[in-house]
Amino acid sequence: MSEKNPLKCAKWIWCNETPQPDEYGEFYTTFSYNEGSATLHISADSDYAVYLNGTLCAFGQYHDYPYDKIYDTVDISSYCQKGENHLAIVVWYYGDGNMSYYPGHAGLLFALIGKDGVLAQSDTHIRSRISPAYENHRRKKITAQMGLGFAYDATQEDGWKQGELHGFADSTVVEQDLPLRPRPCEKLRLEEPRSGTLTKQLEDGALLFDLGQNTVGFLQLRVTSPTAQRLTVSWGEHISDGRVRRLIGKRDFSAEITVREGETCYLNPFRRLGCRYLEISAEAPLAHCEVAVCPTTYPLRELPPPPLAPKAKEIYDICVNTLRLCMHEHYEDCPWREQALYCMDSRNQMLCGYFAFGETGFPRANLELIAADDRPDGLLSICCPSREPLAIPSFSLHYFTECAEYLHYSGDIDFLRSIYPKLQSVLQVFLRRCDNGNALIPPFPDAQHWNFYEWRPGLDGGKSIDRTVPDLPLNALLSLALQHMADISDALEVAHGYRAIADRLNEQIANNFFDNKKQLCFDRNVPEKTYSALGNALAVLCGVIRGENAITVCEKLAFDRSLTPISVSMQCFVFDALLQTDFARFRPYVLEKIEQTYRPMVELGLGTVWETEQGEADFQNAGSLCHGWSAMPVYYYHILK
């Protein structure tokens, strides 16, 4: 570690020698404060919440890798009092990997620095214990993507945050030497609670609350109960069944909280909920119940929208709101069901964000997080950071698009230079399989490779697809990635041959997929050929189809209903193909299509845009109603103004 590292003398610690997954450690110390600055530097596996004199003053470990560990720097001087101060830290160790967590070792590292030196730091003198209030080792998942939920027992609370210590002992040193660097983007803010309005009491006695619109943040509960009892808190984005749809397949959108006799106030500082509706089920009637979500927001300055008619402005606003709700430690596909960073999803979110917020720090942090991925096969993992065995090869190619667009909007050549070796290594995985553009690339053969392009039959990577037969979308996306890599290489003044490889590949694509009779490209060369809007849009964008042929294909993209239709998140490729071919001619069509697609989302009143046009009913009733990849109208309203 660098000598300038403020954590150089602190030690990684834990509350026991044999931590297990889903374990909460509580750490306590005191320090004396007179005046001046008090800056906390802190890192943990997996998440932390810091209380000073009983008040929550910091939360939220950046999602990272053990081999690329992030620490936070937080000014907590405004929470300090003259004289003795009580510093209490709760750390939640996941242990079980999910699609936003790369498993490491349970640990806490911190140093509190005052104007005259160290006020407190992690070592064996820090008192600690396993939390008696949080249910440890429960290992109950909300969803496979989000990972663990939580259960809390308020009857086990004591005064430890103010120094009333029971069951505490000296901490154990965790022997590890992790590379550390500062958080690459801003920390989240905790906003004032958005209270739920009690809308009705259900037949079984459960209480249904409405937040008014989709909200993302921490659960806050204030209840008065005639007896100690366990509550089940469920959350969701809709009440199509007349109540919150808690159980969907193996998913369980609920938490359990045991309340005391009398009043209980509880805020969970770890697990974000994405929802509009909350439902409280109690074992016995409650005398009083208030439920809220405290929004966790990334600090952003919103830029003025382009001039828009009122109906278009409504669409623009819910798209921008969706972008905000899908930005936390990193971009999220959806805050309700997954909270995961995908290359395809984040590409759409970044592009819209350049116009909505005008900042590039958050996109850079996400691109850097993805570049640190270390899959053995050289592809990018399905989500980052994670150690999931699954990968979507086409999403590795979308990474080149978002990197090239980042360079275009930021001019940050130094960053692209730093990740250039990663780009080369990922691209080489594909080039080895297509003989440097002299042959078409087939789908990836192994079970851990999901050959997904979009949510349409034949393009969703279903098991019935012959993985030995090359397809149009993957080869067109590879051509686009090569062209983006050429642009990046040019900007870095690096010699390359990527455009020549793309040209050879385009020739292969045209010779093997273009149907002269139909004047369209088919998806794969099989007896029962299909012709998709996505495949043909990509063929136009990568330059396989040009000139008059491009005009013909774009007419079909806009008006031929026999094509496999495009899904909401992938409409951008059709729009781009149309506008690239004839901007003036297809501009009205794009604006009309946006209105047609997004008007039902406005009218639902959630303030967000959906994952697919089917809404909550898609994916066996697991469709997300707040999905960042669908916010693309922000970009088009700006460029079409």
Side-chain angles (χ1 to χ4, degrees):
M1 285 187 269
S2 167
E3 286 302 311
K4 295 182 180 180
N5 188 338
L7 292 159
K8 65 180 184 300
C9 294
K11 297 184 182 300
W12 284 97
I13 58 173
W14 192 243
C15 56
N16 59 64
E17 294 183 351
T18 56
Q20 300 175 47
D22 198 7
E23 186 168 286
Y24 293 82
E26 296 178 344
F27 302 83
Y28 173 85
T29 192
T30 61
F31 65 93
S32 181
Y33 175 82
N34 187 22
E35 62 181 7
S37 64
T39 304
L40 178 67
H41 307 276
I42 183 169
S43 184
D45 193 322
S46 309
D47 203 358
Y48 70 81
V50 180
Y51 299 84
L52 190 54
N53 302 315
T55 300
L56 179 67
C57 62
F59 64 91
Q61 172 66 32
Y62 185 76
H63 293 189
D64 55 19
Y65 305 89
Y67 52 84
D68 185 26
K69 195 68 185 163
I70 301 300
Y71 70 88
D72 287 330
T73 297
V74 186
D75 181 357
I76 62 171
S77 54
S78 63
Y79 297 90
C80 293
Q81 60 190 20
K82 193 169 184 178
E84 185 178 70
N85 287 260
H86 304 274
L87 180 64
I89 304 174
V90 185
V91 177
W92 181 18
Y93 170 56
Y94 303 159
D96 290 333
N98 59 48
M99 291 175 72
S100 291
Y101 169 60
Y102 192 110
H105 300 288
L108 167 66
L109 184 74
F110 75 88
L112 179 59
I113 312 296
K115 65 173 185 175
D116 297 322
V118 176
L119 299 175
Q121 64 183 1
S122 52
D123 56 28
T124 56
H125 296 98
I126 300 298
R127 306 291 283 173
S128 64
R129 69 178 180 182
I130 291 181
S131 173
Y134 283 100
E135 184 176 333
N136 293 281
H137 318 136
R138 181 171 176 257
R139 303 181 75 172
K140 182 179 179 181
K141 292 182 178 180
I142 300 172
T143 67
Q145 294 87 355
M146 285 178 65
L148 302 169
F150 66 92
Y152 186 82
D153 187 349
T155 68
Q156 299 301 308
E157 291 178 344
D158 56 26
W160 77 277
K161 293 173 186 172
Q162 297 283 3
E164 299 175 19
L165 304 186
H166 305 283
F168 279 76
D170 289 347
S171 295
T172 299
V173 171
V174 179
E175 296 295 344
Q176 60 180 1
D177 184 17
L178 305 183
L180 289 167
R181 63 184 177 94
R183 190 183 188 100
C185 58
E186 299 293 325
K187 283 191 67 61
L188 301 180
R189 296 173 180 169
L190 190 63
E191 306 288 352
E192 290 299 311
R194 175 170 290 163
S195 298
T197 301
L198 179 61
T199 60
K200 64 178 177 179
Q201 183 169 339
L202 302 170
E203 291 182 0
D204 59 1
L207 305 176
L208 184 64
F209 293 85
D210 183 358
L211 297 172
Q213 65 180 40
N214 261 340
T215 306
V216 183
F218 294 148
L219 172 69
Q220 180 175 283
L221 193 66
R222 183 187 298 271
V223 302
T224 304
S225 175
T227 183
Q229 60 171 314
R230 175 166 287 201
L231 310 183
T232 300
V233 182
S234 308
W235 63 88
E237 296 182 313
H238 61 83
I239 49 172
S240 299
D241 299 335
R243 65 189 308 164
V244 169
R245 191 178 286 161
R246 168 191 164 189
L247 301 174
I248 305 175
K250 295 181 179 180
R251 307 172 186 91
D252 186 343
F253 298 95
S254 71
E256 296 174 328
I257 300 170
T258 300
V259 298
R260 295 184 294 269
E261 179 182 349
E263 187 177 62
T264 298
C265 300
Y266 171 68
L267 170 71
N268 180 281
F270 297 112
R271 173 54 71 195
R272 286 192 304 275
L273 311 185
C275 60
R276 172 173 174 172
Y277 299 97
L278 294 132
E279 186 178 309
I280 309 294
S281 297
E283 297 170 330
L286 297 168
H288 179 73
C289 182
E290 297 176 23
V291 65
V293 170
C294 298
T296 49
T297 59
Y298 189 83
L300 291 164
R301 176 178 61 94
E302 191 170 318
L303 298 180
L308 293 169
K311 285 190 173 182
K313 180 64 163 50
E314 290 177 330
I315 294 172
Y316 183 90
D317 287 344
I318 66 171
C319 289
V320 171
N321 188 47
T322 301
L323 290 174
R324 284 185 172 274
L325 295 180
C326 295
M327 295 175 69
H328 291 99
E329 276 75 23
H330 50 64
Y331 289 111
E332 298 171 354
D333 58 335
C334 60
W336 166 60
R337 192 189 65 213
E338 296 191 8
Q339 301 184 6
L341 169 62
Y342 293 84
C343 287
M344 169 58 211
D345 303 54
S346 61
R347 177 267 167 173
N348 287 7
Q349 292 167 282
M350 287 182 198
L351 184 57
C352 295
Y354 298 135
F355 291 87
F357 311 124
E359 66 89 40
T360 58
F362 194 73
R364 172 175 171 151
N366 280 258
L367 294 172
E368 188 175 36
L369 188 62
I370 295 169
D373 185 56
D374 67 343
R375 277 182 66 88
D377 63 8
L379 292 172
L380 296 171
S381 295
I382 185 171
C383 299
C384 297
S386 75
R387 210 164 58 185
E388 289 290 316
L390 193 62
I392 302 177
S394 67
F395 281 22
S396 291
L397 297 173
H398 287 298
Y399 184 62
F400 291 85
T401 301
E402 58 186 342
C403 285
E405 289 172 344
Y406 171 79
L407 178 60
H408 174 76
Y409 289 103
S410 72
D412 189 355
I413 292 176
D414 289 340
F415 173 68
L416 269 296
R417 184 173 288 111
S418 72
I419 66 167
Y420 192 76
K422 182 67 173 184
L423 293 172
Q424 288 178 303
S425 67
V426 173
L427 195 53
Q428 194 58 38
V429 175
F430 293 88
L431 294 181
R432 285 195 297 266
R433 303 187 76 241
C434 73
D435 189 24
N436 284 326
N438 292 310
L440 295 173
I441 182 172
F444 283 68
D446 300 320
Q448 71 267 26
H449 296 138
W450 180 15
N451 292 288
F452 171 88
Y453 306 115
E454 73 154 327
W455 290 116
R456 287 291 183 259
L459 299 171
D460 58 5
K463 295 180 180 179
S464 62
I465 300 300
D466 187 344
R467 296 190 180 207
T468 66
V469 178
D471 59 53
L472 172 62
L474 185 62
N475 284 277
L477 285 170
L478 176 55
S479 175
L480 283 169
L482 286 162
Q483 294 171 57
H484 290 314
M485 189 62 166
D487 291 339
I488 293 169
S489 301
D490 287 346
L492 299 180
E493 298 181 344
V494 175
H496 65 88
Y498 294 121
R499 282 197 179 83
I501 299 173
D503 290 342
R504 293 197 296 273
L505 182 59
N506 279 358
E507 185 176 353
Q508 293 287 336
I509 295 171
N511 291 339
N512 284 273
F513 294 110
F514 192 73
D515 185 329
N516 284 295
K517 183 177 180 180
K518 285 185 173 286
Q519 289 292 290
L520 286 168
C521 285
F522 44 80
D523 295 319
R524 52 183 56 84
N525 196 359
V526 294
E528 296 296 325
K529 293 180 175 59
T530 57
Y531 301 77
S532 69
L534 176 63
N536 279 278
L538 293 174
V540 171
L541 290 172
C542 75
V544 166
I545 302 173
R546 300 173 181 270
E548 290 301 317
N549 283 343
I551 293 288
T552 300
V553 168
C554 285
E555 288 286 348
K556 293 176 182 290
L557 285 172
F559 305 113
D560 188 342
R561 298 295 179 264
S562 69
L563 294 176
T564 302
I566 201 81
S567 61
V568 172
S569 60
M570 301 293 172
Q571 274 187 338
C572 56
F573 296 108
V574 168
F575 293 167
D576 288 349
L578 299 179
L579 297 172
Q580 174 179 293
T581 301
D582 193 331
F583 186 93
R585 181 177 184 178
F586 290 110
R587 178 182 179 275
Y589 170 85
V590 172
L591 291 171
E592 181 181 346
K593 190 67 175 177
I594 289 173
E595 170 67 24
Q596 175 188 335
T597 302
Y598 287 84
R599 180 52 43 188
M601 305 184 197
V602 171
E603 293 174 353
L604 188 61
L606 287 173
T608 51
V609 294
W610 309 346
E611 180 176 11
T612 72
E613 64 275 16
Q614 298 299 317
E616 54 85 13
D618 214 348
F619 312 114
Q620 294 78 50
N621 295 324
S624 162
L625 298 180
C626 178
H627 221 84
W629 74 359
S630 296
M632 286 299 289
V634 170
Y635 168 71
Y636 290 106
Y637 280 138
H638 275 278
I639 68 167
L640 295 175
K641 62 186 176 182

